[in-house]
Structure formats: C-alpha cells, structure tokens
Amino acid sequence: MELTDILSKEQWAEFEKELFDRFHINCTVYNTAGVGVTGKPNWCNRLCPEVKANKDSLAAICAPGNQNFMAQAKQTKKPVIGECDAGLVKIAVPIFVDGEFLGTAGGCGLLPEGGEVETFMIEKSMGLSEEKIAELCQGMGSMSEAQAEEMAAFIEDRLAKYVADALDDTEKSKSVSR
C-alpha cells in the first residue's frame, strides 16, 4: 500500500495546508523513502527554504533529521517531537496501515519556546554569515511543547480517520467485485 492509496496527492496537499494554517509550521507528509508526497512546501520562516535549497545543508540538517525522526516514529509507532540539527521544532507522526509503515506526517521550522537557532551548524553547512542567518531568522515564530503535542494529537486523529476511511473503501470495493 502507498500513501496515495489513502488520499490523493491533492488531498495530502490540502491536509498539509490545513496543518500549516492551523499550526503555522512547515508541514509535509513523507513516504518511507523520506520524500514529500506532494512536493508543495508551506514555509513558516525564511530560513528553511534557504536550507533546503542548498544541497550541503539539506544533507547535513534536513535529511538526517527526517531519517532519524522517521526511524523513531516507525520503531515506537508513536509521534516523535524534538529538534532538528538547526535547533528548530520537528514533529513526525507515523502512518501505519494494518501494521505496515507507510511514512510520516508532521512539521518543522519553528523555534522551541525559549530556544534559539543553531547558527554554527547552518554556517558550516551553508557558508552563510552569522548576520545573514540572523536576518533569515527575523520574525521566526515559536512553538511550546504543549502546542507540539496538540499538533501531534491532531495529526494522529486525522490520520486514523483517513486510514479507516481508506480501509472502508477497500472493503466496499472488494464486496462489489465479488
């Protein structure tokens, strides 16, 4: 089963947009290869698009963070809330259907309440000055632990509904084709 057997790419994009509008954080649904299903990012800050556009910082910051959070979510079968190597909040909620891991849904890109961006990692991977990084971080929002937990619970509830609906549709189509 693939994520697009649960929802179409357009429906996943609507879900990502809903999450962005509700929680004001970069939201993505990833398949097991760590690739975004929709390819339609919603940016909550000016730093993340710069990090993701640079292959070195993408490989040093985003990719390992996504792989780590995805592995934890797959292993624990529970949402994972923490920070990426840039010091920003990251949330990954696993998507399972009949015990099969299909990927994660979540978000990243806000400062943890009282936190700060790890400029050293960004400087080294992107070659940006501390001043340029500070400029890109101006106006960056934050997220409390309680807000992150609320977002993870919201995603879990919504995913449960999507999976249940997809399984119902599968059962209905099986009974029609008999």
Side-chain angles (χ1 to χ4, degrees):
M1 180 173 264
E2 301 289 326
L3 290 170
T4 51
D5 294 328
I6 298 171
L7 295 176
S8 68
K9 282 185 181 184
E10 295 76 21
Q11 290 169 313
W12 283 121
E14 288 172 20
F15 178 55
E16 290 173 347
K17 177 78 168 85
E18 178 184 6
L19 292 174
F20 175 79
D21 290 344
R22 185 178 186 120
F23 298 101
H24 312 291
I25 192 168
N26 307 333
C27 297
T28 307
V29 175
Y30 291 103
N31 64 22
T32 56
V35 176
V37 175
T38 69
K40 297 179 179 182
N42 297 295
W43 301 117
C44 67
N45 66 50
R46 295 181 303 147
L47 177 65
C48 290
E50 296 290 326
V51 170
K52 288 208 176 210
N54 179 298
K55 67 178 175 46
D56 293 331
S57 57
L58 179 64
I61 298 170
C62 299
N66 195 40
Q67 290 169 349
N68 180 33
F69 277 65
M70 185 175 284
Q72 286 181 55
K74 179 180 180 181
Q75 180 184 19
T76 64
K77 296 182 167 77
K78 295 181 179 176
V80 179
I81 299 171
E83 293 179 25
C84 73
D85 288 338
L88 303 178
V89 170
K90 183 159 181 62
I91 300 164
V93 178
I95 304 168
F96 281 93
V97 175
D98 291 335
E100 180 185 0
F101 179 69
L102 300 182
T104 60
C108 58
L110 293 175
L111 284 169
E113 202 168 56
E116 58 185 55
V117 172
E118 295 292 333
T119 57
F120 180 78
M121 174 64 105
I122 298 166
E123 282 181 65
K124 292 299 176 198
S125 64
M126 293 183 70
L128 292 179
S129 70
E130 196 170 328
E131 294 78 24
K132 180 63 176 175
I133 294 167
E135 178 186 317
L136 291 171
C137 292
Q138 284 181 335
M140 186 180 287
S142 65
M143 179 176 262
S144 69
E145 183 73 24
Q147 289 168 317
E149 290 170 2
E150 176 189 340
M151 180 177 171
F154 180 87
I155 293 170
E156 271 188 305
D157 290 347
R158 190 60 66 87
L159 290 175
K161 179 187 179 326
Y162 293 156
V163 168
D165 289 350
L167 292 175
D168 285 349
D169 290 346
T170 301
E171 287 303 312
K172 287 176 189 170
S173 67
K174 282 182 185 176
S175 64
V176 169
S177 63
R178 289 183 188 159

